């Protein structure tokens, strides 16, 4: 009996681990298979949601059941096998999902892709390696190993008979490669311009000065008319002639762009304008920098104190005058400091 109970418990654990694919709901779940969305309108169990212990397990089981129902709906669709994988074609979505950015547009086809599509040319998957008869080994189609193989193979390049025997074939081959790269880049830029519907000039037709556009001709005509003494005021115009427009026209034509005079204001508008000007003037107050004013006041006090100390300093030596009076000098006398009398002879220092 113990063995039987053990086997039954093991099977029960497996059954609990792998739940059945059938799920029962009180109300049917709504699905949008195109966006892989399921809408469950059934009420939640309030007791389990309020309990902290059983809340997570309850939400996990609810999510598992709804996901199982969604997968059941997907497997009801028709399946097909593509590259050893079973896939299904999802229907068109019915729910509008919010997006932060617009849906990306399909990438436009290049000129070669359009030609291949029109001619029915299909792209075949090629191998990354090719057999080189000269080197007798497999060489990659691109990469640094391809460049090393080319360098090993082309260690000596013969000069054709129709060329100069002093021609550098390595330099010629490098220039041909750079021209090929430039041609591919030009074709790429053309594809981008064609996808964005930008008109570009054809290759081989230079833009000369004798082929001017209509705007250039209109500007030249306006400049010629404005070159008169009256700035073209009395010049006649054709019935359907238009004025020149565009950037730089006012620089070429003198007096073309002038400021329009403002209309005469009404008394009420003039009064309001004057009152606003007076208010702005009266509201203006002088800006006082308190830190600067305090520092200036402190500096003035320090200068005044220093001058008072200099004036109260006694003179050296015996006092002149009668009695015990002491004479003070306002400032210390200065020596010449470079101011010498050229007529006075300097006897020099006496030796003892």
């Amino acid at each position: 009996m113990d063995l039987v109970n053990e086997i039954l418990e093991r099977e029960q654990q497996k059954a609990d681990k792998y739940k059945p694919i059938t799920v029962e709901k009180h109300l049917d779940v709504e699905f949008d298979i195109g966006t892989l969305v399921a809408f469950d309108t059934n009420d939640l169990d309030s007791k389990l949601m309020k309990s902290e212990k059983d809340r997570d397990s309850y939400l996990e089981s609810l999510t598992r059941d709804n996901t199982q129902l969604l997968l059941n709906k997907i497997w009801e669709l028709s399946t097909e096998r593509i590259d050893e994988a079973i896939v299904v074609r999802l229907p068109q979505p019915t729910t509008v999902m919010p997006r932060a950015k617009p849906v990306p547009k399909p990438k436009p086809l290049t000129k070669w892709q359009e030609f291949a599509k029109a001619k029915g040319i299909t792209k075949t998957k090629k191998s990354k390696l090719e057999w080189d008869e000269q080197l007798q080994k497999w060489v990659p189609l691109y990469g640094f190993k391809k460049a090393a193989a080319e360098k090993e193979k082309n260690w000596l390049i013969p000069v054709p008979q129709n060329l100069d025997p002093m021609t550098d074939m390595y330099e010629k081959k490098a220039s041909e490669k750079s021209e090929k790269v430039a041609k591919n880049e030009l074709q790429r830029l053309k594809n981008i311009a064609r996808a964005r519907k930008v008109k570009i000039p054809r290759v081989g037709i230079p833009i000369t000065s004798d082929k001017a556009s209509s705007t250039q001709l209109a500007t030249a005509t306006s400049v010629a008319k404005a070159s008169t003494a009256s700035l073209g005021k009395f010049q006649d115009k054709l019935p359907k002639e238009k004025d020149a427009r565009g950037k730089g026209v006012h620089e070429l034509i003198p007096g073309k762009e002038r400021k329009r005079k403002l209309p005469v204001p009404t008394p009420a508008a003039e009064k309001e304008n004057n009152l606003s000007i007076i208010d702005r003037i009266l509201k203006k107050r002088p800006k006082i920098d308190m830190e600067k004013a305090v520092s200036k006041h402190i500096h003035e006090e320090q200068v005044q104190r220093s001058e008072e100390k200099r004036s109260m300093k006694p003179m050296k030596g015996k006092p002149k005058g009668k009695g015990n009076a002491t004479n003070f000098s306002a400032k210390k006398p200065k020596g010449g400091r470079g101011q010498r009398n050229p007529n006075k002879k300097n006897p020099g220092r006496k030796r003892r």
Side-chain angles (χ1 to χ4, degrees), residues 295-308:
S295 62
K296 186 176 180 181
H297 181 68
I298 293 171
H299 178 69
E300 289 177 355
E301 287 185 351
Q302 291 177 354
V303 171
Q304 188 177 359
R305 289 176 183 174
S306 62
E307 289 179 356
E308 289 178 357

Side-chain angles (χ1 to χ4, degrees), residues 215-227 238 241-242 244 253:
T215 56
Q216 292 174 349
L217 292 175
T219 305
T221 307
S222 301
V223 171
K225 286 183 179 181
S227 300
L238 296 175
E241 185 179 357
K242 296 181 180 179
I253 305 173

Side-chain angles (χ1 to χ4, degrees), residues 318-333:
K318 294 181 180 180
K320 296 180 180 181
K322 298 178 180 180
N324 296 328
T326 307
N327 295 331
F328 297 94
S329 61
K331 292 183 179 180
K332 185 178 180 181

Side-chain angles (χ1 to χ4, degrees), residues 28-92:
D28 293 337
V29 179
E30 299 178 1
F31 299 98
D32 184 7
I33 307 300
T35 52
L36 300 177
V37 176
F39 301 96
D40 190 0
T41 57
N42 292 281
D43 295 334
L44 298 175
D45 194 344
S46 57
K47 293 182 180 180
L48 294 176
M49 289 297 295
K50 288 180 181 179
S51 64
E52 296 181 359
K53 295 182 179 180
D54 303 332
R55 185 191 305 163
D56 294 340
S57 59
Y58 171 67
L59 292 176
E60 287 179 1
S61 63
L62 192 63
T63 305
R64 180 262 164 198
D65 294 342
N66 292 333
T67 307
Q68 183 64 55
L69 291 173
L70 181 61
L71 291 174
N72 293 343
K73 283 289 183 181
I74 293 173
W75 282 107
E76 290 178 3
L77 301 174
S78 59
T79 60
E80 57 180 312
R81 185 180 292 275
I82 298 177
D83 294 337
E84 299 181 358
I86 300 174
V87 297
V88 295
R89 300 288 180 181
L90 297 178
Q92 290 294 329

Side-chain angles (χ1 to χ4, degrees), residues 5 19 26 31 67 101 116 118 132-133 155 167 173 230 246 254 284 297 303 313 340 350-351:
N5 292 333
K19 294 183 179 181
H26 181 68
F31 299 98
T67 307
K101 295 182 180 180
D132 195 335
E133 295 290 342
W155 64 275
T167 304
K173 194 171 182 180
S230 61
K284 284 185 177 180
H297 181 68
V303 171
K313 189 175 182 181
R340 295 182 179 181
K350 294 182 180 181
R351 295 183 180 180

Side-chain angles (χ1 to χ4, degrees), residues 205-256:
I205 302 178
I207 301 173
T208 57
S209 59
D210 56 345
K211 296 180 181 180
S213 61
S214 58
T215 56
Q216 292 174 349
L217 292 175
T219 305
T221 307
S222 301
V223 171
K225 286 183 179 181
S227 300
T228 59
S230 61
L231 299 178
K233 185 176 181 180
F234 303 104
Q235 296 295 323
D236 297 331
K237 287 187 178 181
L238 296 175
K240 294 183 179 180
E241 185 179 357
K242 296 181 180 179
D243 294 335
R245 294 181 180 179
K247 297 181 180 179
V249 175
H250 63 282
E251 298 177 359
L252 298 174
I253 305 173
K256 179 66 179 174

